[in-house]
Amino acid sequence: MSYTSRRSPSKSDYNRDLKAQLKQAYTESRQLTLNLFADINEQTFCQQAHPTFSPVGWHLGHIAFTEALWILEHLAGKAPIFTEYRQLFAADGLPKEKRQELPSFEVIDDYLNTVREKVFDYLAIAPVHEQARLWWWLLQHETQHNETIAFILALHKFNTGQPIFSPSQNLDNDPVKPEMITIPAGKFRCGSEDMIAQDNERSPHWVHLETYQIDRYPVTHGDFQKFIHANGYQSRKYWSKTGWQWQTQAQVTQPLYWLEPENFRDYPVCGISYYEAEAYANFIGKRLPSEYEWEKAAAWQPDTKQSQPYPWGTNWHDDYCNHSLQNAGIVPVNHYTNNQSFYRCADCLGNIWEWTTSVFQPYPNFVAYPYKGYSASYFDNEHLILRGGSWVTRKWGIRNTFRNWYHPWTREIFAGFRCAQ
């Protein structure tokens, strides 16, 4: 009888496999980036849609600049290329309003291609087993700018009265039944130390939570309509002090990306500030969850006493949640039957980001990576955490431990919420 030798993968095997994996992911990500610019006109490419955000063309150039900076300069040790773009496309180079004088799409596309060719040339000889964390970080950097580009393009449509997405009506769907899930008291391990984890997701640590309840589904248009009809936007009693100060200035009457509930009752509320979410929660006698409460409900597996990267388990499935612009926008919160956790908390990943009450702060033993400004500059007690990802978030940025952060008055992102008690 003969036996086949089984050996552990060598460093060279690991290097080869990782290089192939990275090249495929980088290529796929870049194609998704460029898809966003199909048929774009010069005005949309160069102009700001909102004072808070840079033009989409700037984000495209910034992707190329950052890839060259970290791979070609920091890892490969090469001299800077396209030095004429350094001030324009660096994150700290120019104020946002000064970023509208841009080269054409064709010129920036050539910039992207030139950088990428050199990056792949270096990848062929790079010791990626020593560099893997930076390569995965850079992939997520492009992923995050993809999302920003997507909602800026949506704002351009919104500003001109066009629909930002075209979801199918859900009148024939089974109605979503409001339900709260009870999460028993106990410790769980939050955070991640996976290679792909960002600095603010580290280090994993144990947190004890008392028993609480959390909505099985995000708040829907049908739910939120009750708040609007009860004059919730005009009723001071539902708003926090800072929330009411914001509302007296903003004078909003509905979420930014509102759909008529008669046709879209079970679609999640989208384009909403933390203050609006907080007021709704007060209106129905609930509250918003902390980020720890959200993560335990989405990630914790009490049978194995481990957290899972996805509500459904440890392996990614493309068709388990609404991500990467796979649909024409948001979908009903009960659309994906596989997108639920051990505790039956549903629609946690994709569709809409979800506000929490948690201020963006470092976890224990935090170490900034790859530079201080990536996360640490925002530990200012002014940014709040959102979890879950949206319908435009790429798969490399969707997981239970990913922490997004924005000011509580921000409405332009694809954000909603669920309530807790």
Side-chain angles (χ1 to χ4, degrees):
M1 183 179 293
S2 62
Y3 295 89
T4 301
S5 174
R6 295 184 181 272
R7 60 181 178 83
S8 299
S10 66
K11 182 183 291 186
S12 61
D13 291 336
Y14 173 80
N15 251 341
R16 183 181 62 251
D17 293 346
L18 180 56
K19 287 177 181 181
Q21 188 179 3
L22 286 167
K23 188 169 186 178
Q24 180 180 350
Y26 270 58
T27 301
E28 182 182 352
S29 175
R30 180 55 49 80
Q31 187 56 58
L32 291 170
T33 300
L34 294 176
N35 288 348
L36 292 169
F37 291 87
D39 303 320
I40 196 168
N41 60 50
E42 183 179 357
Q43 181 176 352
T44 303
F45 188 74
C46 295
Q47 288 190 0
Q48 285 182 282
H50 188 279
T52 304
F53 306 108
S54 302
V56 292
W58 181 88
H59 287 276
L60 192 63
H62 176 72
I63 288 169
F65 167 79
T66 305
E67 190 168 308
L69 175 67
W70 289 102
I71 301 298
L72 301 181
E73 295 182 38
H74 282 265
L75 294 185
K78 296 182 179 298
I81 59 174
F82 293 95
T83 54
E84 67 271 24
Y85 293 151
R86 204 166 191 89
Q87 183 182 34
L88 175 59
F89 291 127
D92 57 356
L94 292 172
K96 291 183 174 66
E97 68 272 12
K98 299 289 188 181
R99 297 173 177 176
Q100 300 182 87
E101 296 181 9
L102 295 169
S104 68
F105 169 80
E106 290 74 19
V107 170
I108 295 180
D109 186 46
D110 181 67
Y111 179 28
L112 284 163
N113 291 332
T114 302
V115 170
R116 177 54 60 84
E117 287 176 5
K118 295 179 181 297
V119 164
F120 278 173
D121 286 345
Y122 175 67
L123 177 62
I125 61 170
V128 290
H129 64 283
E130 301 169 4
Q131 305 169 344
R133 187 180 176 190
L134 185 60
W135 284 89
W136 288 121
W137 173 84
L138 189 63
L139 178 68
Q140 292 179 86
H141 175 267
E142 181 161 345
T143 292
Q144 289 158 23
H145 281 276
N146 262 221
E147 176 135 9
T148 305
I149 291 165
F151 71 69
I152 293 171
L153 290 174
L155 283 173
H156 277 291
K157 290 183 177 180
F158 181 83
N159 292 341
T160 56
Q162 302 175 61
I164 66 158
F165 37 58
S166 304
S168 301
Q169 298 181 12
N170 69 326
L171 286 176
D172 295 332
N173 289 17
D174 291 335
V176 172
K177 297 178 181 178
E179 181 182 356
M180 297 201 82
I181 304 294
T182 298
I183 311 296
K187 294 194 301 182
F188 85 105
R189 191 171 185 258
C190 75
S192 175
E193 55 191 351
D194 290 346
M195 185 65 69
I196 201 170
Q198 302 285 18
D199 60 359
N200 60 70
E201 296 173 68
R202 303 165 184 248
S203 290
H205 56 287
W206 289 88
V207 175
H208 177 85
L209 297 175
E210 299 298 333
T211 300
Y212 64 98
Q213 290 185 304
I214 191 168
D215 287 346
R216 186 179 182 198
Y217 298 104
V219 171
T220 66
H221 281 74
D223 297 328
F224 201 84
Q225 186 181 41
K226 300 169 187 174
F227 176 72
I228 295 174
H229 285 175
N231 294 319
Y233 275 103
Q234 294 77 38
S235 300
R236 168 68 182 88
K237 61 183 177 180
Y238 301 128
W239 297 75
S240 65
K241 180 179 179 181
T242 53
W244 188 246
Q245 289 173 343
W246 171 81
Q247 169 61 348
T248 56
Q249 294 293 320
Q251 292 291 303
V252 297
T253 58
Q254 63 186 30
L256 189 62
Y257 307 127
W258 182 247
L259 298 170
E260 289 305 319
E262 290 76 14
N263 297 325
F264 304 105
R265 65 180 176 231
D266 293 332
Y267 288 71
V269 170
C270 184
I272 194 168
S273 69
Y274 172 85
Y275 297 135
E276 293 164 88
E278 181 185 48
Y280 172 86
N282 290 334
F283 167 70
I284 60 169
K286 298 181 182 180
R287 60 175 175 82
L288 299 183
S290 70
E291 67 167 322
Y292 288 143
E293 290 173 329
W294 189 99
E295 186 173 332
K296 183 177 181 180
W300 188 238
Q301 231 296 355
D303 291 344
T304 60
K305 291 183 169 43
Q306 292 182 334
S307 283
Q308 301 177 148
Y310 313 110
W312 54 82
T314 57
N315 296 319
W316 172 256
H317 294 275
D318 259 351
D319 57 351
Y320 276 21
C321 68
N322 185 18
H323 67 97
S324 300
L325 292 92
Q326 289 183 337
N327 296 288
I330 52 176
V331 296
V333 296
N334 61 350
H335 181 76
Y336 290 93
T337 57
N338 292 316
N339 189 359
Q340 62 178 354
S341 68
F342 172 87
Y343 292 112
R344 296 176 49 252
C345 209
D347 209 36
C348 295
L349 295 190
N351 226 7
I352 46 99
W353 290 99
E354 299 181 32
W355 286 105
T356 74
T357 59
S358 298
V359 175
F360 187 46
Q361 288 293 334
Y363 283 165
N365 303 313
F366 169 84
V367 177
Y369 183 89
Y371 62 99
K372 182 179 179 180
Y374 177 70
S375 294
S377 294
Y378 300 93
F379 297 151
D380 55 9
N381 294 317
E382 294 181 359
H383 291 76
L384 296 181
I385 293 290
L386 302 98
R387 293 299 195 100
S390 78
W391 63 280
V392 302
T393 310
R394 305 305 188 189
K395 61 185 178 182
W396 303 283
I398 286 191
R399 53 186 174 270
N400 288 329
T401 56
F402 191 93
R403 306 168 80 201
N404 196 0
W405 65 90
Y406 275 98
H407 285 116
W409 55 81
T410 306
R411 312 176 80 223
E412 294 75 25
I413 57 177
F414 298 127
F417 66 104
R418 74 180 73 213
C419 294
Q421 278 184 327

